[in-house]
Amino acid sequence: MTKAAEPSNSLRKTPRQARSEATIAAIVEAAAQILERDGEEAATTARVAERAGVSIGTLYQYFADRDAVLAAVIRRDRETVSTEIARRIAEGSPKNAEALVRDIIAALVAVMRPRRRRRRLIALGAAMRMQSADDIAATIDRVGALIASVAARYPNEVARPLTPVRAYTLTRAVMGALRAALIENAKVLDDPEFEDELVRLALAYLRA
């Protein structure tokens, strides 16, 4: 069996100036907009460069190919998830574990709702070849680490220590439900009851 080619995830050229970083950001955003509006097949390097307002040569200075551009979109989306959850934990002052878990779940659902078509393509695996399983696991594990901070903050409300195995199980259960909602384009993603049920799921597990 032929081994699959390694994804071209990394930048060809490391940005050293603010202008270079802005160019990369514009390219990634342009690709994200095309993915959302027209789908993956429409996101060619030529169209992305045109929408970003840069030459195709400039795009290729930073990205080896289209897959590398789309991989950058995926990385940005995944970083958005963990950053938003971390922000809510840092800025919030919940009175108990339930309130903090609700903050985390609300953040997860909130970042999934906008630009749903693009997120659905990513969840479906249309761009999975551009990111390794280790990359995906690392992002979900960051979410797990943040949830673990809930357990540490409210030890009296958690039945057992949130070991790495328990954190893995909990995060995959919650993220699996969210991923299913995206793939199925389910209306539950807009239903407040869905968020409530995810909170109940997480709390029931933490308290079991």
Side-chain angles (χ1 to χ4, degrees), residues 17-53:
Q17 298 179 348
R19 186 172 65 178
S20 297
E21 292 177 354
T23 298
I24 292 170
I27 292 169
V28 172
E29 177 59 23
Q33 290 176 9
I34 293 171
L35 275 177
E36 179 66 23
R37 190 182 69 179
D38 302 316
E40 185 188 4
E41 293 306 314
T44 63
T45 52
R47 284 196 62 184
V48 170
E50 180 182 11
R51 189 169 188 84

Side-chain angles (χ1 to χ4, degrees), residues 158-182:
V158 178
R160 292 179 291 154
L162 197 63
T163 64
V165 171
R166 294 194 76 213
Y168 180 97
T169 304
L170 176 57
T171 53
R172 270 58 180 186
V174 172
M175 298 300 287
L178 282 167
R179 183 174 182 273
L182 278 173

Side-chain angles (χ1 to χ4, degrees), residues 5-10 35 40 65-72 74-75 125-132 135-136:
E6 290 295 320
S8 49
N9 288 354
S10 58
L35 275 177
E40 185 188 4
D65 50 30
R66 187 186 78 132
D67 282 0
V69 177
L70 298 185
I74 296 169
R75 283 196 303 274
M128 290 291 282
R129 66 185 180 277
M130 289 164 273
Q131 208 171 40
S132 71
D135 290 334
I136 296 167

Side-chain angles (χ1 to χ4, degrees), residues 96-99 101 154 156-160 162 166 170 199-208:
N96 53 35
E98 180 173 351
V101 167
Y154 302 99
N156 294 334
E157 298 184 51
V158 178
R160 292 179 291 154
L162 197 63
R166 294 194 76 213
L170 176 57
V199 172
R200 289 190 182 95
L201 183 156
L203 287 173
Y205 189 82
L206 288 171
R207 292 168 177 170

Side-chain angles (χ1 to χ4, degrees), residues 87-108:
R87 183 189 67 78
R88 291 204 179 203
I89 290 176
E91 295 179 0
S93 54
K95 59 184 179 180
N96 53 35
E98 180 173 351
L100 187 50
V101 167
R102 183 169 293 280
D103 277 353
I104 293 172
I105 299 296
L108 279 170

Side-chain angles (χ1 to χ4, degrees), residues 102-121:
R102 183 169 293 280
D103 277 353
I104 293 172
I105 299 296
L108 279 170
V109 175
V111 296
M112 295 295 179
R113 284 178 180 144
R115 296 182 171 181
R116 192 170 305 176
R117 182 177 184 183
R118 183 184 82 231
R119 296 185 189 281
R120 182 169 181 267
L121 284 169

